[in-house]
Amino acid sequence: MVTSFGEILKIGINRLEAENNPDARLDAELLLLHAVGEPRSFLYVHRNDACDDYTADHYFNMIDRRAEGEPLQYITGSQEFMGLDFEVNESVLIPRQDTETLVEYALARAATMKNSISIMDMCCGSGAIAVSMAKNLPKAKVTACDISEDALQVAQRNASKNGVEKRVSFEQTNMFTRIKRGREAPLKGRFDMILSNPPYIPSGDIPGLQREIAEHEPMKALDGGDDGLDFYRILAEHSWEHMSKKGLLIMEIGFDQADAVKALLDEAGYYENIEIHKDLAGKDRVVSCSLTGKK
Protein backbone atom coordinates (compact mmCIF):
# COMPACT_ATOMS: atom_id res chain seq x y z
CA MET A 1 0.00 0.00 0.00
CA VAL A 2 1.42 3.36 -1.08
CA THR A 3 1.64 5.91 1.71
CA SER A 4 1.62 9.66 1.11
CA PHE A 5 3.83 12.23 2.78
CA GLY A 6 0.75 13.59 4.53
CA GLU A 7 -0.07 10.17 5.95
CA ILE A 8 3.40 9.49 7.35
CA LEU A 9 3.42 13.01 8.80
CA LYS A 10 0.18 12.25 10.66
CA ILE A 11 1.70 9.04 12.06
CA GLY A 12 4.76 11.00 13.19
CA ILE A 13 2.62 13.64 14.93
CA ASN A 14 0.57 10.99 16.72
CA ARG A 15 3.73 9.20 17.87
CA LEU A 16 5.17 12.37 19.40
CA GLU A 17 1.84 13.42 20.93
CA ALA A 18 1.68 10.02 22.65
CA GLU A 19 4.96 10.96 24.37
CA ASN A 20 3.50 14.33 25.44
CA ASN A 21 5.81 16.32 23.18
CA PRO A 22 4.44 19.89 23.38
CA ASP A 23 5.79 20.65 19.89
CA ALA A 24 4.70 17.39 18.30
CA ARG A 25 3.40 18.85 15.03
CA LEU A 26 6.33 21.23 14.50
CA ASP A 27 8.94 18.58 15.35
CA ALA A 28 7.25 16.02 13.09
CA GLU A 29 7.13 18.50 10.22
CA LEU A 30 10.76 19.56 10.64
CA LEU A 31 11.95 15.97 10.73
CA LEU A 32 10.01 15.15 7.55
CA LEU A 33 11.49 18.17 5.80
CA HIS A 34 14.93 17.06 6.97
CA ALA A 35 14.31 13.54 5.64
CA VAL A 36 13.43 14.82 2.16
CA GLY A 37 15.86 17.76 2.18
CA GLU A 38 13.18 20.25 1.17
CA PRO A 39 11.84 23.63 2.41
CA ARG A 40 8.53 24.05 4.24
CA SER A 41 6.63 24.67 0.99
CA PHE A 42 7.14 20.96 0.21
CA LEU A 43 4.45 20.06 2.75
CA TYR A 44 1.85 22.13 0.92
CA VAL A 45 2.74 21.10 -2.61
CA HIS A 46 3.52 17.40 -2.13
CA ARG A 47 1.42 16.38 0.86
CA ASN A 48 -0.58 13.87 -1.21
CA ASP A 49 2.38 12.53 -3.20
CA ALA A 50 3.59 8.98 -2.58
CA CYS A 51 6.49 8.57 -0.17
CA ASP A 52 9.06 5.86 -0.96
CA ASP A 53 9.83 3.20 1.62
CA TYR A 54 13.41 4.36 2.22
CA THR A 55 12.33 7.90 3.11
CA ALA A 56 9.48 6.63 5.28
CA ASP A 57 11.80 4.29 7.20
CA HIS A 58 14.36 7.08 7.69
CA TYR A 59 11.63 9.43 8.88
CA PHE A 60 10.14 6.98 11.39
CA ASN A 61 13.61 6.23 12.75
CA MET A 62 14.07 9.93 13.48
CA ILE A 63 10.58 10.14 14.98
CA ASP A 64 11.46 7.27 17.33
CA ARG A 65 14.65 9.06 18.41
CA ARG A 66 12.70 12.24 19.10
CA ALA A 67 10.01 10.32 20.99
CA GLU A 68 12.74 8.89 23.22
CA GLY A 69 13.88 12.39 24.17
CA GLU A 70 16.79 13.04 21.82
CA PRO A 71 16.84 16.75 20.97
CA LEU A 72 15.64 17.68 17.50
CA GLN A 73 18.91 19.53 16.82
CA TYR A 74 21.03 16.44 17.45
CA ILE A 75 18.84 14.41 15.11
CA THR A 76 19.10 16.94 12.28
CA GLY A 77 22.66 17.87 13.22
CA SER A 78 21.97 21.57 12.91
CA GLN A 79 21.02 24.67 14.90
CA GLU A 80 20.73 28.31 13.89
CA PHE A 81 22.49 30.92 16.01
CA MET A 82 22.90 34.62 15.21
CA GLY A 83 21.53 33.90 11.73
CA LEU A 84 24.27 31.33 11.05
CA ASP A 85 24.02 27.56 10.67
CA PHE A 86 25.95 25.45 13.18
CA GLU A 87 26.63 21.74 13.22
CA VAL A 88 25.75 20.18 16.58
CA ASN A 89 26.05 16.71 18.05
CA GLU A 90 26.18 15.21 21.53
CA SER A 91 29.75 16.49 22.01
CA VAL A 92 28.49 20.07 22.34
CA LEU A 93 25.69 22.04 23.93
CA ILE A 94 22.97 23.16 21.57
CA PRO A 95 23.40 26.94 21.05
CA ARG A 96 20.48 28.84 22.54
CA GLN A 97 18.95 32.23 21.91
CA ASP A 98 19.87 33.31 25.45
CA THR A 99 23.53 33.26 24.43
CA GLU A 100 22.82 35.70 21.59
CA THR A 101 22.47 38.30 24.36
CA LEU A 102 26.18 37.85 25.12
CA VAL A 103 27.23 38.04 21.47
CA GLU A 104 25.08 41.08 20.73
CA TYR A 105 26.49 42.94 23.74
CA ALA A 106 30.06 41.96 22.82
CA LEU A 107 29.54 43.17 19.25
CA ALA A 108 28.17 46.48 20.52
CA ARG A 109 31.24 46.96 22.71
CA ALA A 110 33.55 45.91 19.89
CA ALA A 111 32.11 48.70 17.76
CA THR A 112 33.64 51.19 20.22
CA MET A 113 37.10 49.60 20.12
CA LYS A 114 39.92 49.48 17.59
CA ASN A 115 39.19 47.73 14.31
CA SER A 116 41.50 44.78 14.86
CA ILE A 117 40.76 43.18 18.21
CA SER A 118 41.74 39.88 19.79
CA ILE A 119 39.02 37.74 21.35
CA MET A 120 39.09 34.60 23.47
CA ASP A 121 36.07 32.33 23.70
CA MET A 122 36.63 30.18 26.79
CA CYS A 123 34.52 26.98 26.92
CA CYS A 124 33.70 27.39 23.24
CA GLY A 125 31.70 24.19 22.67
CA SER A 126 30.26 24.28 19.15
CA GLY A 127 32.06 27.54 18.50
CA ALA A 128 28.81 29.50 18.32
CA ILE A 129 30.26 32.54 20.13
CA ALA A 130 33.71 32.44 18.51
CA VAL A 131 32.41 31.95 14.97
CA SER A 132 29.67 34.56 15.35
CA MET A 133 32.17 37.14 16.58
CA ALA A 134 34.59 36.37 13.75
CA LYS A 135 31.80 36.48 11.16
CA ASN A 136 30.60 39.89 12.32
CA LEU A 137 34.07 41.37 12.91
CA PRO A 138 36.12 40.75 9.74
CA LYS A 139 39.34 42.12 11.27
CA ALA A 140 39.09 40.31 14.60
CA LYS A 141 41.34 37.42 15.62
CA VAL A 142 39.59 34.81 17.75
CA THR A 143 40.97 32.03 19.94
CA ALA A 144 38.44 29.32 20.83
CA CYS A 145 39.28 27.18 23.89
CA ASP A 146 37.71 24.02 25.26
CA ILE A 147 38.76 20.99 27.30
CA SER A 148 36.99 18.62 24.89
CA GLU A 149 38.81 17.55 21.74
CA ASP A 150 35.50 16.38 20.25
CA ALA A 151 33.92 19.78 20.87
CA LEU A 152 36.88 21.54 19.27
CA GLN A 153 36.53 19.39 16.17
CA VAL A 154 32.89 20.46 15.88
CA ALA A 155 33.90 24.09 16.41
CA GLN A 156 36.55 23.84 13.69
CA ARG A 157 34.02 22.48 11.22
CA ASN A 158 31.65 25.31 12.11
CA ALA A 159 34.38 27.88 11.50
CA SER A 160 34.96 26.39 8.06
CA LYS A 161 31.24 26.14 7.32
CA ASN A 162 30.85 29.85 8.04
CA GLY A 163 34.01 30.96 6.24
CA VAL A 164 36.06 32.19 9.21
CA GLU A 165 38.52 29.31 9.62
CA LYS A 166 41.51 31.56 8.83
CA ARG A 167 40.71 33.94 11.71
CA VAL A 168 39.74 31.48 14.44
CA SER A 169 42.40 29.36 16.16
CA PHE A 170 41.66 26.52 18.55
CA GLU A 171 43.27 25.51 21.83
CA GLN A 172 42.52 22.39 23.85
CA THR A 173 42.93 23.45 27.46
CA ASN A 174 41.38 22.97 30.88
CA MET A 175 40.36 26.61 31.33
CA PHE A 176 43.56 28.69 31.40
CA THR A 177 46.03 25.90 32.18
CA ARG A 178 47.64 25.92 28.72
CA ILE A 179 47.36 29.68 28.19
CA LYS A 180 50.47 31.70 29.10
CA ARG A 181 49.73 34.16 31.86
CA GLY A 182 50.83 37.51 33.24
CA ARG A 183 54.27 38.67 32.14
CA GLU A 184 54.85 35.36 30.39
CA ALA A 185 52.12 36.19 27.90
CA PRO A 186 53.31 37.78 24.64
CA LEU A 187 51.47 40.87 23.49
CA LYS A 188 49.50 38.77 21.00
CA GLY A 189 48.44 36.60 23.92
CA ARG A 190 46.62 39.47 25.62
CA PHE A 191 42.95 39.63 24.69
CA ASP A 192 40.76 42.67 24.21
CA MET A 193 37.76 40.50 25.06
CA ILE A 194 37.39 37.27 26.99
CA LEU A 195 33.95 35.80 26.38
CA SER A 196 32.59 32.72 28.12
CA ASN A 197 29.43 30.69 28.44
CA PRO A 198 30.80 28.25 31.05
CA PRO A 199 29.05 25.31 32.70
CA TYR A 200 26.82 26.89 35.35
CA ILE A 201 24.13 24.38 36.38
CA PRO A 202 24.49 23.28 40.03
CA SER A 203 25.30 19.57 40.08
CA GLY A 204 22.24 18.70 42.13
CA ASP A 205 19.90 20.44 39.69
CA ILE A 206 20.96 18.46 36.63
CA PRO A 207 18.80 15.34 37.25
CA GLY A 208 15.73 17.60 37.38
CA LEU A 209 16.34 19.18 33.99
CA GLN A 210 14.35 18.22 30.90
CA ARG A 211 15.43 14.78 29.75
CA GLU A 212 16.54 16.26 26.42
CA ILE A 213 19.19 18.13 28.41
CA ALA A 214 19.97 15.81 31.30
CA GLU A 215 20.19 12.64 29.19
CA HIS A 216 21.72 13.95 25.97
CA GLU A 217 23.70 17.18 26.29
CA PRO A 218 27.33 16.79 27.46
CA MET A 219 27.61 16.74 31.25
CA LYS A 220 30.98 18.54 31.19
CA ALA A 221 29.32 21.50 29.50
CA LEU A 222 26.48 21.64 32.04
CA ASP A 223 27.91 20.89 35.50
CA GLY A 224 29.10 24.01 37.30
CA GLY A 225 29.81 22.28 40.61
CA ASP A 226 27.84 22.20 43.83
CA ASP A 227 26.70 25.83 43.58
CA GLY A 228 27.10 26.28 39.83
CA LEU A 229 29.92 28.79 40.31
CA ASP A 230 33.09 26.70 39.92
CA PHE A 231 34.00 28.10 36.52
CA TYR A 232 33.17 31.69 37.45
CA ARG A 233 35.69 31.39 40.29
CA ILE A 234 38.36 30.41 37.76
CA LEU A 235 37.32 33.16 35.36
CA ALA A 236 37.40 35.78 38.12
CA GLU A 237 40.76 34.56 39.43
CA HIS A 238 42.62 34.27 36.13
CA SER A 239 40.97 36.24 33.31
CA TRP A 240 42.80 39.46 34.24
CA GLU A 241 46.14 37.77 33.51
CA HIS A 242 45.15 37.38 29.86
CA MET A 243 43.39 40.70 29.22
CA SER A 244 44.78 43.76 27.48
CA LYS A 245 44.88 47.02 29.44
CA LYS A 246 41.41 48.04 28.24
CA GLY A 247 40.14 44.48 27.97
CA LEU A 248 36.65 43.27 28.78
CA LEU A 249 35.42 40.09 30.43
CA ILE A 250 31.89 39.12 29.34
CA MET A 251 30.18 36.00 30.69
CA GLU A 252 26.79 34.34 30.37
CA ILE A 253 25.19 33.46 33.71
CA GLY A 254 22.19 31.61 35.03
CA PHE A 255 19.15 33.83 35.66
CA ASP A 256 19.70 33.76 39.45
CA GLN A 257 23.51 34.03 39.57
CA ALA A 258 24.15 37.73 38.97
CA ASP A 259 24.79 38.72 42.58
CA ALA A 260 27.04 35.73 43.25
CA VAL A 261 29.14 36.27 40.11
CA LYS A 262 29.42 40.00 40.80
CA ALA A 263 30.63 39.18 44.33
CA LEU A 264 33.34 36.88 42.91
CA LEU A 265 34.57 39.64 40.60
CA ASP A 266 34.54 42.19 43.43
CA GLU A 267 36.44 39.80 45.70
CA ALA A 268 39.11 39.14 43.05
CA GLY A 269 39.95 42.83 43.10
CA TYR A 270 41.00 43.16 39.47
CA TYR A 271 37.76 44.34 37.90
CA GLU A 272 35.56 47.40 37.75
CA ASN A 273 32.52 48.62 35.81
CA ILE A 274 30.74 45.38 36.66
CA GLU A 275 27.38 45.40 34.89
CA ILE A 276 24.46 42.97 34.58
CA HIS A 277 22.60 42.67 31.27
CA LYS A 278 19.18 41.11 30.76
CA ASP A 279 17.99 38.82 27.97
CA LEU A 280 14.84 39.31 25.88
CA ALA A 281 12.77 37.66 28.62
CA GLY A 282 13.97 40.27 31.13
CA LYS A 283 16.15 37.81 33.06
CA ASP A 284 19.72 38.47 34.16
CA ARG A 285 21.84 36.77 31.51
CA VAL A 286 25.24 38.44 31.07
CA VAL A 287 27.87 39.95 33.37
CA SER A 288 30.52 42.28 31.96
CA CYS A 289 33.47 44.07 33.53
CA SER A 290 36.79 45.72 32.72
CA LEU A 291 40.19 45.83 34.45
CA THR A 292 40.70 48.20 37.36
CA GLY A 293 44.07 49.43 36.12
CA LYS A 294 45.81 47.80 39.12
CA LYS A 295 47.17 45.01 36.95
Side-chain angles (χ1 to χ4, degrees), residues 61 101 120:
N61 176 263
T101 303
M120 173 189 283

Side-chain angles (χ1 to χ4, degrees), residues 102-177:
L102 182 155
V103 175
E104 289 168 352
Y105 176 75
L107 288 173
R109 292 301 303 268
T112 69
M113 303 171 76
K114 59 186 181 182
N115 286 334
S116 179
I117 65 173
S118 59
I119 300 169
M120 173 189 283
D121 176 11
M122 180 57 73
C123 308
C124 69
S126 67
I129 293 173
V131 170
S132 297
M133 293 299 292
K135 190 72 174 179
N136 284 278
L137 299 171
K139 294 185 179 181
K141 298 292 185 181
V142 183
T143 300
C145 305
D146 204 283
I147 192 173
S148 167
E149 181 179 358
D150 291 338
L152 287 171
Q153 290 176 357
V154 174
Q156 287 176 310
R157 291 195 293 270
N158 281 323
S160 296
K161 174 186 285 192
N162 288 285
V164 297
E165 68 276 10
K166 293 182 179 180
R167 292 187 295 106
V168 183
S169 60
F170 299 88
E171 183 76 46
Q172 185 177 7
T173 176
N174 183 1
M175 296 302 285
F176 296 103
T177 55

